[in-house]
Amino acid sequence: ASNQISSDSQVNTILDNSCFQCHSSEKSAPWYASISPSYLFGAKSARRVLNFSNWRDYDGDQKSAALGNIAKSVASGSMPPGDYTVFDGSARLNNDDKQVLLKWATVPAH
């Protein structure tokens, strides 16, 4: 399936639940989340920055850069945006989710 970004099913589940709404062409946010400013004004630009629908087409450098940005965003708590997760609580990352993503995003080979 095109949403299989990692060989780790836990990573794929977290990405699907917390990232794909804005960072994929295949999934849109629930209607109530679309009133979030981050989603309304940021989803299109978010897909330009990182679109998991195109992950298989990214070369090694693009994947490496994306993973570095994912690690920074997850570690800082800037993604998913707080104003988005207020409306879509299922997108929130708990500490375990964060650790799984950080481990995945900082391992060199993908």
Side-chain angles (χ1 to χ4, degrees):
S2 60
N3 65 348
Q4 299 301 300
I5 304 301
S6 170
S7 58
D8 184 331
S9 64
Q10 193 175 8
V11 168
N12 291 325
T13 299
I14 295 166
L15 293 174
D16 187 49
N17 291 340
S18 299
C19 309
F20 276 21
Q21 295 90 339
C22 296
H23 291 285
S24 156
S25 302
E26 299 156 28
K27 191 170 182 178
S28 57
W31 70 267
Y32 52 82
S34 65
I35 59 177
S36 152
S38 288
Y39 187 81
L40 277 175
F41 302 110
K44 285 183 182 171
S45 62
R47 287 183 192 101
R48 283 194 297 270
V49 172
L50 170 62
N51 189 335
F52 284 113
S53 298
N54 301 330
W55 187 257
R56 294 185 190 281
D57 298 329
Y58 286 9
D59 65 25
D61 289 341
Q62 289 171 308
K63 284 184 180 178
S64 181
L67 290 167
N69 288 332
I70 291 166
K72 284 180 200 159
S73 298
V74 169
S76 71
S78 64
M79 287 287 148
D83 71 319
Y84 179 82
T85 58
V86 164
F87 297 106
D88 186 5
S90 66
R92 280 191 197 107
L93 296 174
N94 64 36
N95 285 334
D96 289 342
D97 295 340
K98 288 179 183 179
Q99 292 310 309
V100 168
L101 288 181
L102 287 170
K103 181 178 176 188
W104 168 72
T106 55
V107 173
H110 289 281

